[in-house]
Amino acid sequence: MLDIRELSVGYTENISGRKVEILSRVNLSIAGGETLGLVGESGSGKSTLGYAIAGHLSGLEIQNGSIDTKENPRIALVQQNAGQALTPTMSIGRQLNEVLKYAQVKNRTEKAFELMEGVRLPDPKSLMKRLPHQLSGGQQQRVLIALALARNPEILVLDEPTTALDASTKETLLELLAALQKSQGFAMLIVSHDLGIIRTACAETAVMYAGAFVELGNTEKIIKGGHHPYTRALVEALPHIEERLLPNAIEGTPPKPGARPEGCAFAPRCLYAEDKCRHAVPPLAPAQDTKVACFFPLVDLRKTSTAVPEPGEGKERLLAVNNISVQFKQHGGQIFKALDDVSISLNTGETLGIIGESGSGKSTLLRCLAGLQNYSAGEMILEGAEDFDRPVEKRKRATQRRLQMVFQNPSTALNPNHTIERILEIPYALYEPKSSRSERSNAIRRELDLVRLTDQHLIKRPRELSGGELQRVALARGLIARPDLLLLDEITSALDVSVQAAVLDLLVKIQRSVGCAMILVSHDIAVMRSISHKLVVLKNGRIVEAGLTEQILSHPKEAYTQSLIKSAKAITA
Amino acid sequence: MMAFLDPISYYLADKIYYLVCTAMFITMVGLVVIKPSRRLLGRIWRHWNGRVGLCFIAAHILISVFGPWLIPHDPYTQFDLGEIARYYPPGLEFPLGTDDRNRDFLARVVSGGRAAIAVTCLTAILAISWGAFAGIFLTLMPRWVDGVVMRIVDALISVPWLAFLLLAMTLFAGARGFSFVPIVGFFYSLAVLRVVRAHATTIVALDYVTAARARGHRISWIAFHEVLPNCRDVILVELAMRWTWLLLAFAVASFFGLMVEIPAPDWSLMIASSRTLFLSYPYLFWPPVIMLSTLVIGINFTADGLAKAIGLDRRAADMV
């Protein structure tokens, strides 16, 4: 169906005329009905390959090799962000109609209903009239798939199809794709950084690094015992859902296109690299049960993850939230309860995890604690602060200082106009207005050291740093105030798994050295298991279950918690 | 000496004009010398309209700064040319001829933009600073304050500024030229306010502003340190764009005899007085028309190039 030979895709630099490769010499073939997964960290070229197959090169050029298909292949692409891929001002029905018109289908209304039913959208008649923003993320993703299926594709390329979705929605979407593939027989290419969904959906997997395949083979074999050091490192960077272990981070960062090293691209980060690796590029060759691009493929299985320490002795109560409720008035005058009678408590030096699907009120709870959200009933007590129940601008400076917040997306949480030095100086100058210049710069260096960044980052601006480095800066910005409580809002969900592992490791180390308590909000159970001591499960603004993390995850009492764990296990490697 | 009916205004305008021209000359040299701005200039130059705009503006600045030294005559001197009473045709002595009082027309054309440039430059700065300030603060205020103020702004935008200008000129007869600055400045700032506010709302929704709030910073601090630096590009383009509109507004007011008065040289006034003669004496009509339009087009095109160079879409900004 699709045969790619020695494909290199890249661009030519404007001034120097130098050719820069994004994909280098990729070989690939898929037959109808097959599913191939492409995994790798961001910048590995996996999306570029997906888009190149779909014929969307947008400014890039094919520098070498070819993409062979049969004549006039029907290839459909499902883009990454469903919310942005749909035209916001056109109803779903009109968008479907437009695509069907282009596909020269005659009974367009009938066919549209058929497609909507095919992707199992409820009540297609009323959905047709709605605009994209009136649909949930999962529904938008299905509409996008329906649009892609309108021309009966032979090859379906899906770019990160599940990133914006909850665990249970992910599971149903992957089931749907499998069922559609069975009935229509198209070949599928799933591009994702999430090994979990690749494992669920794809029989074959290609692991990409720096624009090339490093390993290709059966998905189970790659995940259980990959032979390339990078594959192994990637799998070990995943948080464990079954055991309380910290995942292993991969040191260093992937090379940028145009700055790739001579020899094996992974060699600078590889624990097993030898001289040969630094001079020659290893070809993709069969090794035991997979194809590996490595001179020294790994054979034995090893596991070196470290256990998470329990909080130290001598704990005192730090925070108590009693029966708090938050209400919003909706358009029709209805009252929507974002939080309903929620109580939590936290001791010094502990980590509390708050888990729930989107819309469960977990972010609202954090905003309440930060004093950014008014609540209608209940009380909040922070030991040693009388003004904690007020909004943030009415709290005393000393109280404001005791509580710091870190956000989900570091690229929007840091002002792009400030240097890293300025970003760290602002909170310190706010809480220590009388500090001298040398005190400030000492404090800034101390925090940088704590989050393992160096002096040379000080003069840079956020756009010059990678996602992981930015999140470290954001952490340092919170820590420079030396808070008693750190609020972490999904801080790893925008990061690659290897970077996520490094940030989780950092959090544990910070807690050990600074001793602050943390509240971690996440939808990822495996992340919770690796670092949080206590856990609260939220659903529709109410607490479903609360207690020690280990207890809840190994013996969940409530049906909702059980289903969360089950769907997380189903799509976790 | 200037025989000008509104001497205070014209005196001020003359001084400010020299200030503006010198400042622009220094800026022009500075832009070329300093490296990052040279890069920006280079990026403006890459777009054809930026190129045309920069050329026009450079020509205007050179003419304004060096013109008066190169031309032998004063714009106010009336020459006795014997048998020809007026409208002496272009020649060696008077390259653009003379006007109805036999004054050197070239000298008048060269200095004819003074009042316009000085007054509109002040007005543009006032409109931008006030509009940007209010626009940014509104986004940080509670929602009901924003709602009330914006409805008032909508109402005021529909009022013609010319009516208010006439009213103010009758009230403050002393320095009427400069009553243009606060009145028109205020009305133009409303449009700036809407554009800047629209941009600032996208900034205020970002996490770094929420982070600043959660740390406990005051609203004024957030406005100046977190929001304003990220609105700089929009404000810069607005400044250049509004200036062209203000030049046109000034020309309109002057054409009706509201601003600069006879015998002071002013392009729109020259156009007004020679518009009935332009078939018989085209050399008295076209030079001021060309000067005024090249200045307006020059600034407008440069603003366009600037917007493209820093990645803003001006058409989108215009619609707000």
Side-chain angles (χ1 to χ4, degrees):
Chain A
M1 186 75 78
L2 176 75
D3 195 19
I4 293 177
R5 259 183 247 125
E6 295 286 309
L7 178 72
S8 292
V9 172
Y11 56 93
T12 310
E13 272 187 355
N14 245 345
I15 301 157
S16 62
R18 193 168 67 108
K19 288 200 168 178
V20 175
E21 277 186 348
I22 291 175
L23 287 179
S24 46
R25 301 187 175 271
V26 170
N27 288 300
L28 174 68
S29 62
I30 317 179
E34 273 186 3
T35 309
L36 178 75
L38 288 178
V39 276
E41 293 175 272
S42 42
S44 62
K46 56 189 192 305
S47 291
T48 309
L49 180 56
Y51 277 74
I53 290 169
H56 275 277
L57 280 168
S58 60
L60 300 176
E61 63 208 10
I62 291 181
Q63 293 171 340
N64 186 31
S66 61
I67 304 175
D68 295 327
T69 48
K70 69 169 191 124
E71 234 173 273
N72 293 324
R74 292 192 302 272
I75 304 178
L77 174 71
V78 177
Q79 278 139 307
Q80 184 164 11
N81 194 329
Q84 285 170 18
L86 294 167
T87 310
T89 52
M90 256 164 102
S91 68
I92 303 301
R94 268 185 68 197
Q95 305 202 29
L96 270 168
N97 188 44
E98 197 180 44
V99 174
L100 289 171
K101 199 171 168 185
Y102 179 71
Q104 294 171 333
V105 174
K106 279 189 188 120
N107 305 324
R108 289 203 283 272
T109 336
E110 251 169 64
K111 177 79 180 169
F113 275 110
E114 202 178 289
L115 283 170
M116 298 275 271
E117 271 155 21
V119 294
R120 296 187 210 147
L121 277 166
D123 193 13
K125 210 167 201 172
S126 81
L127 273 183
M128 292 278 214
K129 288 183 199 132
R130 287 203 225 161
L131 293 172
H133 72 268
Q134 294 165 319
L135 270 59
S136 73
Q139 287 174 329
Q140 289 174 346
Q141 191 64 268
R142 280 162 203 233
V143 170
L144 218 56
I145 292 171
L147 286 171
L149 294 178
R151 289 182 66 204
N152 298 323
E154 291 151 325
I155 302 170
L156 187 62
V157 179
L158 298 119
D159 187 16
E160 301 277 7
T162 59
T163 31
L165 306 180
D166 289 320
S168 54
T169 326
K170 263 183 205 178
E171 203 190 347
T172 42
L173 187 82
L174 295 178
E175 274 169 20
L176 169 72
L177 282 173
L180 286 170
Q181 187 181 34
K182 213 170 196 180
S183 62
Q184 304 195 6
F186 49 78
M188 225 172 8
L189 192 81
I190 300 183
V191 176
S192 179
H193 68 277
D194 188 341
L195 273 172
I197 75 147
I198 295 285
R199 186 184 202 176
T200 320
C202 313
E204 293 268 303
T205 298
V207 182
M208 289 188 75
Y209 186 79
F213 284 180
V214 294
E215 190 155 4
L216 175 68
N218 181 287
T219 308
E220 280 305 305
K221 280 177 182 145
I222 281 185
I223 288 173
K224 286 255 170 69
H227 300 296
H228 196 282
Y230 178 68
T231 314
R232 198 68 72 79
L234 204 59
V235 173
E236 280 173 12
L238 284 172
H240 304 267
I241 197 163
E242 308 276 5
E243 283 170 285
R244 189 176 176 73
L245 291 171
L246 260 185
N248 286 331
I250 310 174
E251 295 295 326
T253 48
K256 295 208 166 66
R260 288 180 184 152
E262 185 193 351
C264 173
F266 188 61
R269 297 171 81 188
C270 183
L271 297 172
Y272 314 97
E274 290 183 23
D275 256 7
K276 190 181 176 191
C277 305
R278 295 187 188 97
H279 301 298
V281 182
L284 193 67
Q288 295 168 14
D289 39 14
T290 60
K291 280 180 168 177
V292 186
C294 182
F295 294 123
F296 311 104
L298 301 176
V299 184
D300 58 321
L301 292 168
R302 72 188 175 110
K303 207 164 207 178
T304 50
S305 304
T306 46
V308 186
E310 289 302 316
E313 291 302 306
K315 296 179 284 180
E316 294 160 43
R317 201 175 74 145
L318 175 70
L319 173 83
V321 172
N322 299 324
N323 312 94
I324 209 171
S325 293
V326 172
Q327 300 180 335
F328 294 117
K329 226 181 219 160
Q330 281 181 324
H331 259 296
Q334 292 160 304
I335 285 172
F336 166 69
K337 284 191 171 173
L339 284 181
D340 189 7
D341 203 20
V342 168
S343 303
I344 56 171
S345 76
L346 188 64
N347 294 334
T348 50
E350 264 183 359
T351 304
L352 170 73
I354 301 176
I355 197 161
E357 301 187 315
S358 49
S360 62
K362 51 193 198 306
S363 292
T364 313
L365 183 55
L366 276 200
R367 289 177 63 85
C368 275
L369 291 172
L372 296 166
Q373 174 71 53
N374 293 323
Y375 48 94
S376 51
E379 56 171 359
M380 305 195 303
I381 303 160
L382 184 70
E383 286 308 312
E386 316 86 62
D387 53 355
F388 187 62
D389 50 349
R390 296 185 202 154
V392 65
E393 61 269 17
K394 298 215 171 97
R395 291 176 187 169
K396 284 195 205 116
R397 201 58 96 214
T399 313
Q400 289 169 348
R401 174 178 193 157
R402 293 181 62 194
L403 193 131
Q404 294 291 317
M405 194 163 171
V406 184
F407 294 84
Q408 173 174 14
N409 194 340
S411 56
T412 59
L414 302 173
N415 191 329
N417 257 295
H418 292 166
T419 59
I420 303 307
E421 184 170 25
R422 178 107 181 89
I423 286 170
L424 296 178
E425 191 192 356
I426 286 170
Y428 194 74
L430 179 73
Y431 298 125
E432 299 279 353
K434 288 179 192 141
S435 56
S436 69
R437 184 179 281 194
S438 66
E439 277 173 335
R440 286 181 193 182
S441 90
N442 282 343
I444 291 170
R445 283 187 170 75
R446 187 190 67 206
E447 292 322 309
L448 273 186
D449 199 42
L450 190 62
V451 298
R452 282 186 244 147
L453 292 174
T454 56
D455 277 6
Q456 57 182 351
H457 291 100
L458 281 179
I459 50 160
K460 292 190 174 162
R461 281 173 212 278
R463 63 167 180 277
E464 298 168 72
L465 303 187
S466 68
E469 286 172 323
L470 288 177
Q471 201 56 290
R472 282 160 197 259
V473 172
L475 266 174
R477 179 174 68 178
L479 288 166
I480 202 166
R482 282 286 176 265
D484 293 332
L485 178 57
L486 206 52
L487 305 178
L488 310 167
D489 190 1
E490 299 263 14
I491 63 163
T492 59
S493 61
L495 306 174
D496 276 317
V497 280
S498 65
V499 182
Q500 167 176 286
V503 170
L504 292 178
D505 182 54
L506 188 64
L507 284 178
V508 170
K509 292 201 168 114
I510 285 169
Q511 195 165 43
R512 211 182 295 154
S513 68
V514 182
C516 62
M518 296 178 182
I519 294 184
L520 176 69
V521 158
S522 176
H523 63 269
D524 189 336
I525 290 182
V527 166
M528 287 299 179
R529 182 149 211 168
S530 59
I531 71 163
S532 73
H533 306 116
K534 284 179 176 174
L535 194 64
V536 169
V537 183
L538 272 184
K539 189 195 178 190
N540 298 333
R542 289 186 142 268
I543 290 186
V544 176
E545 202 166 351
L548 294 172
T549 310
E550 278 304 284
Q551 220 152 29
I552 291 182
L553 293 185
S554 25
H555 309 287
K557 290 199 187 89
E558 300 293 323
Y560 178 69
T561 319
Q562 286 164 358
S563 75
L564 267 187
I565 295 172
K566 196 180 145 229
S567 55
K569 271 184 185 162
I571 56 167
T572 306
Chain B
M1 208 22 241
M2 280 167 252
F4 188 47
L5 283 181
D6 180 5
I8 308 174
S9 289
Y10 200 84
Y11 178 75
L12 278 174
D14 206 45
K15 292 286 166 260
I16 294 167
Y17 169 76
Y18 277 116
L19 219 71
V20 170
C21 279
T22 322
M24 284 189 72
F25 185 69
I26 293 169
T27 322
M28 199 171 82
V29 175
L31 280 175
V32 180
V33 174
I34 302 166
K35 218 176 183 182
S37 66
R38 190 164 54 198
R39 217 175 298 144
L40 180 68
L41 224 55
R43 273 193 290 170
I44 298 176
W45 190 258
R46 213 177 289 162
H47 302 282
W48 68 268
N49 33 13
R51 208 172 300 174
V52 173
L54 281 178
C55 285
F56 280 180
I57 288 183
H60 267 276
I61 292 175
L62 291 177
I63 289 174
S64 328
V65 174
F66 298 110
W69 294 346
L70 303 175
I71 293 156
H73 305 299
D74 175 86
Y76 292 97
T77 321
Q78 301 187 9
F79 292 93
D80 185 3
L81 295 170
E83 73 275 17
I84 303 175
R86 47 190 196 162
Y87 305 132
Y88 188 79
L92 273 181
E93 175 80 27
F94 303 107
L96 288 179
T98 64
D99 66 0
D100 54 347
R101 298 262 191 281
N102 269 349
R103 291 170 295 212
D104 179 13
F105 201 58
L106 179 65
R108 289 180 72 75
V109 166
V110 163
S111 54
R114 269 173 206 209
I117 290 170
V119 171
T120 52
C121 184
L122 273 191
T123 318
I125 290 170
L126 179 88
I128 294 296
S129 36
W130 156 240
F133 176 82
I136 288 174
F137 264 83
L138 271 183
T139 54
L140 291 162
M141 292 285 166
R143 212 182 254 176
W144 66 268
V145 178
D146 183 52
V148 170
V149 175
M150 284 319 285
R151 293 298 81 73
I152 296 173
V153 166
D154 287 345
L156 282 173
I157 274 184
S158 60
V159 177
W161 53 267
L162 206 58
F164 273 84
L165 189 64
L166 282 171
L167 185 71
M169 289 176 86
T170 44
L171 288 177
F172 313 106
R176 34 201 221 182
F178 273 86
S179 54
F180 184 89
V181 177
I183 303 282
V184 183
F186 174 74
F187 280 96
Y188 270 72
S189 75
L190 299 175
V192 177
L193 187 153
R194 299 195 65 163
V195 174
V196 173
R197 179 185 161 276
H199 184 73
T201 24
T202 63
I203 304 281
V204 168
L206 294 175
D207 286 341
Y208 56 83
V209 177
T210 316
R213 279 198 158 161
R215 279 200 301 270
H217 285 289
R218 269 176 298 145
I219 281 182
S220 53
W221 189 95
I222 297 175
F224 280 109
H225 292 87
E226 304 282 356
V227 186
L228 181 65
N230 292 297
C231 295
R232 206 176 36 205
D233 294 351
V234 175
I235 293 172
L236 207 64
V237 173
E238 271 297 289
L239 180 70
M241 212 172 78
R242 293 296 155 197
W243 194 7
T244 66
W245 292 110
L246 282 165
L247 271 171
L248 287 178
F250 187 92
V252 168
S254 194
F255 186 86
F256 290 124
L258 295 175
M259 302 304 304
V260 180
E261 289 170 40
I262 296 165
D266 179 73
W267 294 328
S268 9
L269 215 55
M270 293 176 202
I271 297 169
S273 62
S274 61
R275 71 184 193 278
T276 49
L277 310 166
F278 87 101
L279 283 181
S280 10
Y281 305 104
Y283 51 89
L284 292 182
F285 179 75
W286 289 111
V289 168
I290 290 169
M291 289 297 276
L292 183 62
S293 40
T294 48
L295 183 62
V296 170
I297 291 169
I299 299 176
N300 208 322
F301 275 19
T302 311
D304 227 15
L306 177 69
K308 278 178 189 152
I310 57 189
L312 285 174
D313 193 352
R314 253 194 63 191
R315 272 169 306 170
D318 276 340
M319 279 177 349
V320 182

